[in-house]
Amino acid sequence: MASWLLGRSSRILIHQHHHLHKKYLPFLLGPFLNHNNSSCSSFPSTEPFRCRDAFPGKNSSPTLFRFSRHESTKAEAQLELEQDVATEDEPNQVIDFPGGKVGFTSEMRFISESPEKRVPCYRVLDDNGEIVKYSNYVQVSKEMGVKMYSDMVTLQTMDNIFYEVQRQGRISFYLTQMGEEAVNIASAAALAPDDIILPQYREPGVLLWRGFTLQQFVHQCFGNTHDFGKGRQMPIHYGSNQHNYFTVSSPIATQLPQAVGAAYSLKMDGKSACAVTFCGDGATSEGDFHAAMNFAAVMEAPVVFICRNNGWAISTPVEDQFRSDGIVVKGKAYGIWSIRVDGNDALAVYSAVHTAREIAIKEKRPVLIEALTYRVGHHSTSDDSTKYRGTDEIEYWKMARNPVNRFKRWVERNGWWSDKDELELRSSVRKQLMHAIQVAEKAQKPPLQDLFNDVYDQIPSNLQEQERLIRKTIEKHPKDYPSDVPL
Amino acid sequence: MKGQAYGVRSIGDGNDAPAIYSAIQAARQMAITEERPILIEALTYRVGHHTTSDDSTKYRPANEIEWWRLTRDPVARFRKWIEKNGWWNDMAESQLINNLRQQARYTSLNPLIDDNWIPF
């Protein structure tokens, strides 16, 4: 049974819906027009991230959805999400409910837990880096395309170097973006500097795009005195007021309802900007995800939710995370416009985020984007992912589905990039990073006082007392105190 | 609609007792035999105030309340059905109401008499 939510403010939305449909119809139809070219089309619908044909002999994994039916009450499998499941007996038989008018049906029909046909995945570039025929997308200029590609390469290089630096014990922790470079950079490219970013942790590409220097990334990872965060958080917890990038925190999904509040504030201030928040597939299982989605819809907040569905939450595969058709269908449950995109297609991500941003700001409403991708790297330097997934699966996504390589083919075909440019870029970034690491390693750690500053705006007397006590202890045991941390 | 967001089978019904009965019976059967969750959305209306601490006429119109209380009453609707089946009548209704009143009266005259923690 479908219900149409009606409230005072929503009456206007009903009208806007019709208007919006006309304006954005060509774009919104894109995903469906390109269904046959979906990057998911080569997979059986029940195994979006594993393909038995591609990996003969591999143990079969449990299917995502069970389609068994109870005989006396067969659940109707929906052919598409938009199907109207209400069957009205008579034209005038409706319940005029506080939640809106709902038609009656005399047939006891349960809505299937999942549609037979999955929500299609919007795609612009095929694996060969060619524009899919009849594709509807937002054009990218040469300057934009080259910068996008350059930043994707920079992210890759950062990952390779930082990962090794952690293995050498020079930094305590690191987390790579391998396989998710397109989601990072293309999203950032589609946004404006005034848009406020609330990241999870695997989105430093957005900060890179906005001008955070390689040196600053390194300073944070080393936790030295030049780190904006004053060395208080573990590596990769970047933040920058200047770049409207909220500081990362470890608890999963907490930033989602915060993003809704920030978006509501932007709306109240009449800003032509939106909040953009990122999360992984695992975050959608947190209660804060539910709170954020509902608040965003009810408060009509201009926020864009970008979910990186990379198939894994550390060692937990998506089939143990949810039994829905991924995350895109969750938007409808809250009354939020949603779309599923190929996260390894930079142009598809760019187009979807660009349009979602426009919708959020102009219509003052939330939008949900599910970017299907794959976590090629380990979850973090504390993880060995070969313990719970096959190396052939990793290699497949790393080689055949690589987002950086796919985009490179496109910019090369446009005549915007060459092998010479590639060599120069990779060499240059590598040198910059090596230099940045040398600088960071020689820099001092933050002073002891910074352990007590910024807990509150002013240091209360009890914290002052604690600082005095620890200094007294250090005076007694000077050899036990690290020599590179100033007093 | 929220059921599908979680991969859960769902259905909606409300002030219709047989519809609720049928849906829950079928849902129970599916849940047990197929080992899966089921979501039922029962569309109804809160006729009374939220609690004795609430005066709901402060935020919703009286005519809306009256409409649901009189026209959409689930008890009245079900009574019509069982009467039509010949299973109920005015006399049985009166007897039931009197019986319940007596029980309520008896209970109120002897507060806490069955509470074990009060020593006698």
Side-chain angles (χ1 to χ4, degrees):
Chain A
M1 181 181 293
S3 65
W4 291 270
L5 298 178
L6 284 173
R8 283 196 193 85
S9 60
S10 294
R11 282 181 206 285
I12 301 173
L13 284 180
I14 294 296
H15 176 262
Q16 287 176 333
H17 267 283
H18 295 304
H19 170 72
L20 183 59
H21 264 293
K22 288 182 179 177
K23 184 173 183 182
Y24 292 96
L25 197 61
F27 171 76
L28 292 174
L29 282 181
F32 300 93
L33 288 175
N34 291 294
H35 173 67
N36 289 335
N37 294 306
S38 167
S39 69
C40 300
S41 62
S42 62
F43 293 92
S45 65
T46 55
E47 289 191 303
F49 301 110
R50 272 167 213 80
C51 186
R52 284 204 189 88
D53 296 336
F55 307 109
K58 182 175 172 59
N59 293 334
S60 65
S61 55
T63 57
L64 284 177
F65 310 106
R66 302 192 180 101
F67 292 105
S68 57
R69 299 278 189 270
H70 188 263
E71 286 186 4
S72 64
T73 54
K74 294 184 177 179
E76 292 292 331
Q78 292 179 346
L79 294 183
E80 51 183 314
L81 283 184
E82 295 303 322
Q83 175 181 326
D84 184 352
V85 297
T87 306
E88 299 190 6
D89 306 332
E90 300 165 38
N92 296 322
Q93 285 294 301
V94 296
I95 175 173
D96 196 1
F97 184 67
K101 282 180 161 56
V102 179
F104 282 114
T105 176
S106 56
E107 186 179 351
M108 177 172 31
R109 186 193 299 180
F110 287 79
I111 298 170
S112 168
E113 59 274 17
S114 179
E116 197 74 55
K117 177 176 169 179
R118 303 196 57 191
V119 174
C121 184
Y122 171 58
R123 180 192 229 205
V124 176
L125 284 179
D126 64 21
D127 285 327
N128 293 320
E130 296 193 28
I131 302 289
V132 172
K133 204 172 182 183
Y134 308 122
S135 183
N136 179 65
Y137 66 103
V138 179
Q139 187 56 270
V140 164
S141 67
K142 172 181 178 177
E143 183 186 25
M144 177 72 82
V146 169
K147 177 168 160 56
M148 283 170 71
Y149 180 66
S150 299
D151 278 6
M152 286 166 80
V153 168
T154 301
L155 258 192
Q156 263 188 345
T157 310
M158 272 174 63
D159 279 351
N160 291 332
I161 292 177
F162 280 148
Y163 187 86
E164 292 304 322
V165 166
Q166 193 283 332
R167 296 285 99 176
Q168 295 161 12
R170 295 155 76 187
I171 58 175
S172 59
F173 178 85
Y174 192 73
L175 194 146
T176 71
Q177 282 56 243
M178 295 174 185
E180 300 180 50
E181 296 91 347
V183 181
N184 268 254
I185 301 301
S187 297
L191 301 171
D194 285 346
D195 296 326
I196 297 177
I197 310 296
L198 288 93
Q200 177 161 307
Y201 44 58
R202 221 183 286 278
E203 303 96 13
V206 180
L207 194 49
L208 174 68
W209 178 272
R210 293 185 156 209
F212 204 64
T213 66
L214 294 183
Q215 185 68 74
Q216 273 303 328
F217 279 113
V218 178
H219 285 328
Q220 196 282 330
C221 287
F222 277 84
N224 62 36
T225 193
H226 304 302
D227 170 27
F228 292 154
K230 305 180 185 179
R232 294 173 176 144
Q233 290 210 86
M234 59 196 285
I236 66 86
H237 287 61
Y238 311 113
S240 173
N241 281 348
Q242 178 189 340
H243 301 98
N244 281 326
Y245 191 92
F246 267 49
T247 304
V248 174
S249 72
S250 297
I252 300 295
T254 52
Q255 78 282 7
L256 301 178
Q258 289 161 11
V260 177
Y264 188 76
S265 179
L266 289 171
K267 181 172 86 159
M268 291 297 105
D269 288 347
K271 296 282 178 60
S272 184
C274 66
V276 179
T277 184
F278 292 82
C279 70
D281 42 275
T284 65
S285 293
E286 288 286 344
D288 274 341
F289 173 84
H290 167 75
M293 298 291 281
N294 206 44
F295 268 130
V298 171
M299 303 307 292
E300 296 165 353
V303 56
V304 178
F305 297 98
I306 301 178
C307 180
R308 294 177 294 93
N309 186 350
N310 61 18
W312 296 91
I314 311 185
S315 60
T316 303
V318 280
E319 62 261 28
D320 288 336
Q321 195 69 244
F322 38 66
R323 292 299 168 88
S324 58
D325 175 14
I327 289 107
V328 67
V329 293
K330 294 183 194 292
K332 193 174 196 184
Y334 297 98
I336 293 177
W337 286 53
S338 317
I339 190 172
R340 170 176 278 160
V341 306
D342 180 352
N344 286 15
D345 175 352
L347 290 187
V349 173
Y350 179 86
S351 300
V353 175
H354 183 274
T355 305
R357 176 183 184 274
E358 223 159 61
I359 293 171
I361 295 173
K362 293 180 180 176
E363 305 290 335
K364 297 182 177 62
R365 68 187 306 137
V367 183
L368 170 66
I369 298 173
E370 177 189 19
L372 293 184
T373 183
Y374 189 84
R375 197 197 74 213
V376 168
H378 301 304
H379 173 73
S380 71
T381 47
S382 309
D383 175 57
D384 174 5
S385 63
T386 62
K387 290 288 193 283
Y388 51 82
R389 59 180 182 172
T391 53
D392 48 1
E393 178 181 298
I394 302 172
E395 284 301 304
Y396 168 73
W397 282 93
K398 183 177 179 181
M399 308 304 294
R401 294 279 196 178
N402 189 306
V404 183
N405 294 347
R406 193 196 305 193
F407 194 62
K408 177 183 177 182
R409 289 184 198 111
W410 183 69
V411 293
E412 275 186 338
R413 184 170 295 111
N414 288 348
W416 299 345
W417 198 252
S418 68
D419 287 342
K420 185 185 178 187
D421 295 321
E422 180 88 8
L423 286 173
E424 283 174 2
L425 172 64
R426 288 189 182 268
S427 175
S428 170
V429 173
R430 188 169 187 85
K431 281 179 185 172
Q432 289 177 60
L433 278 166
M434 291 308 193
H435 174 72
I437 289 168
Q438 285 172 20
V439 170
E441 273 188 315
K442 288 169 183 165
Q444 274 192 329
K445 296 299 185 186
L448 173 66
Q449 188 176 28
D450 276 350
L451 272 181
F452 300 95
N453 285 335
D454 302 317
V455 176
Y456 298 95
D457 184 42
Q458 307 289 332
I459 306 182
S461 60
N462 60 320
L463 287 186
Q464 289 178 30
E465 176 67 10
Q466 286 180 36
E467 185 181 351
R468 278 197 296 273
L469 285 175
I470 197 170
R471 287 187 183 277
K472 203 174 290 185
T473 303
I474 293 168
E475 280 180 27
K476 287 184 179 178
H477 310 279
K479 289 182 180 179
D480 290 338
Y481 192 77
S483 59
D484 59 347
V485 180
L487 283 163
Chain B
M1 276 302 120
K2 284 185 160 57
Q4 204 162 64
Y6 297 94
V8 171
R9 200 174 287 177
S10 8
I11 194 171
D13 50 27
N15 281 7
D16 174 349
I20 296 174
Y21 182 91
S22 301
I24 294 182
Q25 188 180 56
R28 177 180 181 276
Q29 198 130 300
M30 276 189 267
I32 295 171
T33 63
E34 298 180 38
E35 290 163 2
R36 65 163 67 255
I38 308 287
L39 170 66
I40 297 172
E41 179 189 16
L43 295 181
T44 184
Y45 190 85
R46 196 198 73 211
V47 167
H49 302 304
H50 177 63
T51 64
T52 50
S53 308
D54 174 55
D55 174 5
S56 61
T57 61
K58 289 288 193 286
Y59 52 81
R60 58 178 180 172
N63 60 307
E64 179 181 291
I65 303 172
E66 284 303 299
W67 188 79
W68 280 92
R69 193 170 71 85
L70 297 175
T71 310
R72 294 282 190 180
D73 186 3
V75 181
R77 196 198 304 190
F78 196 64
R79 177 180 172 181
K80 285 172 187 164
W81 183 67
I82 60 180
E83 276 185 340
K84 199 166 295 175
N85 287 346
W87 301 344
W88 197 252
N89 54 42
D90 287 343
M91 188 179 185
E93 179 91 4
S94 296
Q95 284 174 0
L96 174 62
I97 292 175
N98 286 335
N99 193 340
L100 292 170
R101 281 189 179 139
Q102 284 181 35
Q103 287 182 47
R105 193 173 303 115
Y106 171 80
T107 302
S108 65
L109 284 175
N110 299 278
L112 307 179
I113 194 165
D114 292 324
D115 288 346
N116 296 333
W117 58 271
I118 298 181
F120 280 98

